[in-house]
């Protein structure tokens, strides 16, 4: 495909915005962990594992979405849009709920896995939606992985210096972006 193609740039921008929206979860939770204090080695480990989960989860979702699309055809586009709407609404709702999240040891293997899975699980659902539309799989998973890893680094590092207010709004912003894409797919 031609690099100057408007279709390629449109897909690049759309996937980039989704990747950033999903990475905001990693930023939010990273802020919380960073505010409790974290070593540079732990920042690197958490960010690398989060990036890997942000690659694997949407890849599994895209495979699932492609399979569903082959089974149900054009209804898949509507299902994908509705799924993005529901996921975005849930992210906004979760961010506005004032419940304390449970703490865990991010330095342990299971704590690291739990952190990475919790910030990447939304990527699976978005991957299902994207798998229902024919898109560039490699570009999608690489952008999701890069955004997830980068946002965790930013969250963990900033968490050492910034107050709690940013974390409260990060997930809500990500939800609003996914809501917008869900509406776009339905129209």
């Amino acid at each position: 495909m031609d690099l100057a193609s408007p279709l390629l740039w449109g897909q690049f921008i759309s996937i980039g915005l989704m990747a950033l929206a999903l990475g905001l979860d990693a930023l939010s939770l990273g802020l919380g962990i960073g505010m409790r204090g974290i070593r540079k080695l732990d920042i690197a480990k958490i960010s690398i594992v989060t990036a890997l989960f942000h690659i694997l989860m949407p890849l599994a979702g895209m495979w699932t979405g492609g399979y569903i699309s082959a089974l149900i055809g054009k209804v898949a586009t509507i299902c994908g849009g509705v799924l993005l709407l529901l996921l975005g609404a849930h992210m906004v709702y979760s961010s506005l709920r004032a419940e304390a999240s449970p703490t865990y040891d991010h330095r342990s293997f299971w704590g690291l896995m739990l952190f990475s899975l919790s910030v990447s699980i939304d990527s699976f659902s978005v991957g299902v939606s994207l798998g229902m539309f024919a898109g560039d799989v490699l570009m999608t998973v690489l952008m999701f992985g890069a955004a997830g890893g980068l946002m965790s680094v930013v969250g963990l590092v900033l968490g050492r210096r910034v107050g709690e207010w940013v974390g409260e709004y990060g997930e809500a912003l990500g939800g609003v972006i996914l809501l917008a894409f869900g509406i776009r797919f339905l129209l």
Side-chain angles (χ1 to χ4, degrees):
M1 183 177 281
D2 182 23
L3 290 179
S5 165
L7 180 62
L8 179 67
W9 281 104
Q11 185 178 9
F12 183 78
I13 291 168
S14 296
I15 297 299
L17 287 172
M18 281 188 216
L20 287 175
L22 293 170
L24 288 173
D25 255 358
L27 177 89
S28 300
L29 286 177
L31 281 168
I33 290 174
M35 285 188 284
R36 293 189 321 218
I38 188 165
R39 298 177 316 166
K40 290 178 183 176
L41 179 63
D42 290 333
I43 290 173
K45 284 194 300 190
I46 290 171
S47 300
I48 289 169
V49 173
T50 299
L52 288 174
F53 269 74
H54 267 82
I55 289 171
L56 296 175
M57 296 300 281
L59 189 59
M62 291 176 85
W63 178 81
T64 303
Y67 179 73
I68 291 170
S69 180
L71 290 177
I72 59 178
K74 292 186 181 213
V75 176
T77 303
I78 295 170
C79 292
V82 168
L83 186 59
L84 284 175
L85 280 173
L86 292 173
L87 183 59
H90 176 68
M91 285 176 71
V92 170
Y93 172 74
S94 294
S95 71
L96 297 176
R97 255 186 331 167
E99 285 185 18
S101 58
T103 60
Y104 51 88
D105 181 13
H106 60 273
R107 290 179 296 266
S108 71
F109 174 79
W110 292 112
L112 178 61
M113 292 297 122
L114 180 63
F115 175 83
S116 297
L117 181 63
S118 68
V119 298
S120 305
I121 198 73
D122 296 345
S123 297
F124 176 81
S125 302
V126 172
V128 170
S129 296
L130 293 175
M132 293 179 190
F133 315 108
D136 189 340
V137 175
L138 182 62
M139 179 176 70
T140 301
V141 297
L142 289 178
M143 288 180 75
F144 278 30
L150 181 64
M151 296 296 258
S152 1
V153 168
V154 170
L156 292 164
V157 170
L158 284 179
R160 297 163 72 174
R161 295 174 177 83
V162 177
E164 294 179 6
W165 64 272
V166 175
E168 294 176 14
Y169 301 109
E171 188 175 3
L173 178 61
V176 169
I177 292 170
L178 292 181
L179 278 169
F181 277 105
I183 291 168
R184 180 179 172 261
F185 285 145
L186 290 176
L187 298 178

